[in-house]
Amino acid sequence: MITQELGKFKIIGYLGGGRFGDVYLAHDTLIDSDVALKVARSHITNHSSFLHEIKILFSLDHPNILRYFSAESIEGKLVLVTEYITGHTLRNFIERNCPTNAKLQKT
Amino acid sequence: MNSLSPLKEQISLKEPIIISNLMLFPVVSKTPLKELEFNTLKQGMADGSVSVSDPGNNYRWIRVENSHQDKDLFIIDGEGIYGGKQNRIAASSLVIEPNKSKSIPVFCSEKGRWSGSSRFSSSDTIAYPTIRKINTKNKAFPTGTRSSQRTIWGEISRKSRTLKTYSPTGSMQSIYEEKQDELEKFIEYEPIENQIGFLAATQKRLLCVDIFYNMDLFLKFYEKLLLSYAIDGLEDFESGVGSFHSKMWQTFFNAIFTATLIKHVKTYNEFRYKMKQGFGKALFIKKQLIHASFFHNNPEI
């Protein structure tokens, strides 16, 4: 549960969500660029898993892994700020391109 | 009494709250009302002051008895009523006075069952906005038509398919049950001071506007409404990412106060309205607005 203006970020759209948080497309009004925000769910009081994910991302540097920008506490929410990448989710890709049994048998 | 324009000075829209792909604008009242108090189906069925029965000869009507000594019973448009020979949803918001019983118009929300007790046992959900919109479009209210019933069955079946849920009897309720884990986060919403309603939208469309008599009445329904909005929200997200609008929906909200009255169903004190961008209905009791719901003309924007 967040406001559309979250600190310096303006929430543009919802990208997806998991057990620990929701991911939004946001505009960083200070540097005028789009980023992805992962906002931890408020009912989760133990953020150790979320922080662990942040630490791992911070230690990685690879062209195929999205870039870590920062981790912030905004209006009492723990927020992970990363590079925004366009495209589809793995789930969408599998649902659209998943081979059927018939196709598998042919191959 | 039946014009919505005087409400313009009394209610306003606040800044939106976002939960996943739902955008919720709180509707707040400047002058809190306290004169009227209402019981709900859920409260009444739990404490035994309300009984709901299935006459068994016409699926479009059920009998509701409010045996409470001094409280009116308020039933919200789209309210799910479970049990009986098949699950139903209320076709309109309405009020039943203390110690009175009434036949109320309903739609069937469980196509594949016509068996079981003549008594209804619970009411835990409200139909999602797409169904309430179809219901509000039904020009034959309060009688309903076979065609509008078929449209509702078709919509439940379509939604179930899209969200990959299954019910052997085609029940709307099972969609909510199977999606329970995904719906949980929407209950995080915390109402603000003097809140009496919502304007709910997804990244793709305006779902609906719900406005209640006062905050007490709103609080009795807001969690069920959130879950109903979320059911439409889940589907909208499945069909692709969009972006949140604010100004467009604020314009829609302001247009409600200019809506033209097109029909009055006296038996249920229901007033129907239309405006350029959409349509809606309102229940008035003792010259007070008890509940209003409005929908956008376009399915998607």
Side-chain angles (χ1 to χ4, degrees):
Chain A
M1 177 170 153
I2 54 172
T3 50
Q4 195 169 20
E5 311 286 336
L6 189 66
K8 64 177 179 173
F9 302 103
K10 181 172 184 185
I11 306 296
I12 298 170
Y14 174 65
L15 299 174
R19 196 172 162 205
F20 297 107
D22 285 319
V23 184
Y24 298 95
L25 166 61
H27 189 72
D28 184 329
T29 55
L30 211 58
I31 57 169
D32 192 23
S33 36
D34 289 346
V35 294
L37 299 186
K38 184 167 184 178
V39 183
R41 267 211 229 308
S42 56
H43 74 273
I44 295 172
T45 48
N46 181 357
H47 289 118
S48 57
S49 298
F50 196 70
L51 289 168
H52 185 60
E53 181 187 334
I54 292 172
K55 282 176 188 169
I56 291 172
L57 201 54
F58 180 68
S59 67
L60 299 172
D61 180 13
H62 189 277
N64 291 351
I65 298 174
L66 53 80
R67 282 184 297 159
Y68 163 89
F69 289 155
S70 66
E72 303 182 21
S73 175
I74 311 171
E75 295 171 12
K77 307 272 183 196
L78 187 56
V79 179
L80 167 63
V81 189
T82 67
E83 177 185 12
Y84 168 62
I85 298 169
T86 55
H88 301 289
T89 63
L90 179 61
R91 184 181 157 190
N92 290 150
F93 181 84
I94 291 170
E95 279 177 358
R96 285 174 194 168
N97 302 292
C98 161
T100 60
N101 281 340
K103 277 184 188 172
L104 283 172
Q105 278 165 9
K106 274 186 185 176
T107 56
Chain B
M1 165 185 167
N2 46 25
S3 165
L4 295 170
S5 57
L7 289 173
K8 192 175 182 179
E9 304 306 317
Q10 306 299 321
I11 61 178
S12 60
L13 211 56
K14 293 290 179 190
E15 287 301 308
I17 293 294
I18 293 169
I19 306 177
S20 297
N21 73 329
L22 271 193
M23 196 179 207
L24 302 160
F25 294 76
V27 178
V28 296
S29 167
K30 289 174 189 164
T31 47
L33 302 169
K34 289 180 179 170
E35 187 192 337
L36 304 173
E37 268 190 76
F38 299 95
N39 209 351
T40 65
L41 265 182
K42 190 174 181 176
Q43 288 173 323
M45 287 164 97
D47 67 22
S49 63
V50 172
S51 64
V52 186
S53 58
D54 203 329
N57 52 3
N58 189 339
Y59 68 86
R60 293 178 198 165
W61 299 88
I62 58 172
R63 190 86 188 155
V64 181
E65 185 177 353
N66 178 20
S67 52
H68 202 283
Q69 295 301 306
D70 49 26
K71 268 192 186 174
D72 284 336
L73 170 68
F74 170 71
I75 298 172
I76 189 172
D77 159 46
E79 189 156 9
I81 306 157
Y82 302 114
K85 295 193 178 298
Q86 54 185 188
N87 294 344
R88 311 295 219 291
I89 49 178
S92 183
S93 290
L94 50 91
V95 165
I96 300 176
E97 294 168 346
N99 292 310
K100 290 272 168 69
S101 65
K102 207 171 195 173
S103 286
I104 70 162
V106 289
F107 282 101
C108 167
S109 60
E110 190 181 22
K111 188 182 179 185
R113 180 170 72 92
W114 185 253
S115 61
S117 156
S118 62
R119 291 275 159 190
F120 289 87
S121 54
S122 64
S123 170
D124 295 320
T125 52
I126 295 172
Y128 49 91
T130 305
I131 285 189
R132 292 173 59 207
K133 188 175 176 177
I134 294 168
N135 181 8
T136 304
K137 271 184 182 169
N138 167 30
K139 290 179 183 163
F141 178 82
T143 53
T145 61
R146 280 173 194 271
S147 150
S148 51
Q149 176 61 75
R150 274 198 301 270
T151 309
I152 284 176
W153 280 334
E155 165 53 30
I156 293 170
S157 166
R158 190 200 60 78
K159 179 72 85 181
S160 179
R161 234 176 12 252
T162 312
L163 294 181
K164 300 180 179 75
T165 63
Y166 172 73
S167 161
T169 57
S171 157
M172 180 190 78
Q173 171 75 350
S174 68
I175 301 174
Y176 291 72
E177 287 168 359
E178 287 195 38
K179 288 288 168 186
Q180 196 175 358
D181 288 349
E182 289 171 65
L183 297 178
E184 215 168 62
K185 63 182 169 187
F186 295 95
I187 303 297
E188 281 181 16
Y189 180 86
E190 291 165 14
I192 63 172
E193 194 178 359
N194 296 327
Q195 185 169 356
I196 58 163
F198 281 120
L199 181 152
T202 67
Q203 298 176 103
K204 297 198 162 180
R205 58 181 167 144
L206 187 143
L207 298 176
C208 69
V209 177
D210 278 298
I211 304 168
F212 291 83
Y213 168 69
N214 64 8
M215 190 168 183
D216 282 349
L217 191 59
F218 166 74
L219 289 177
K220 289 177 179 176
F221 290 97
Y222 88 95
E223 286 193 349
K224 290 203 277 188
L225 281 172
L226 285 170
L227 297 181
S228 75
Y229 303 154
I231 289 285
D232 270 344
L234 288 178
E235 181 183 3
D236 284 9
F237 179 65
E238 291 285 331
S239 61
V241 175
S243 56
F244 293 119
H245 301 280
S246 280
K247 284 184 184 166
M248 203 192 301
W249 305 144
Q250 280 161 351
T251 306
F252 179 87
F253 183 77
N254 291 332
I256 289 173
F257 307 111
T258 64
T260 311
L261 178 67
I262 53 169
K263 188 176 179 180
H264 175 208
V265 182
K266 208 173 174 183
T267 324
Y268 298 98
N269 289 311
E270 184 183 284
F271 296 83
R272 294 204 170 198
Y273 302 88
K274 72 167 184 183
M275 67 263 201
K276 190 180 166 191
Q277 301 94 327
F279 56 94
K281 57 187 178 184
L283 166 71
F284 282 89
I285 300 286
K286 296 175 185 168
K287 297 185 180 179
Q288 303 276 3
L289 175 74
I290 307 302
H291 177 238
S293 48
F294 275 82
F295 303 88
H296 203 284
N297 277 331
N298 301 324
E300 284 187 3
I301 290 194

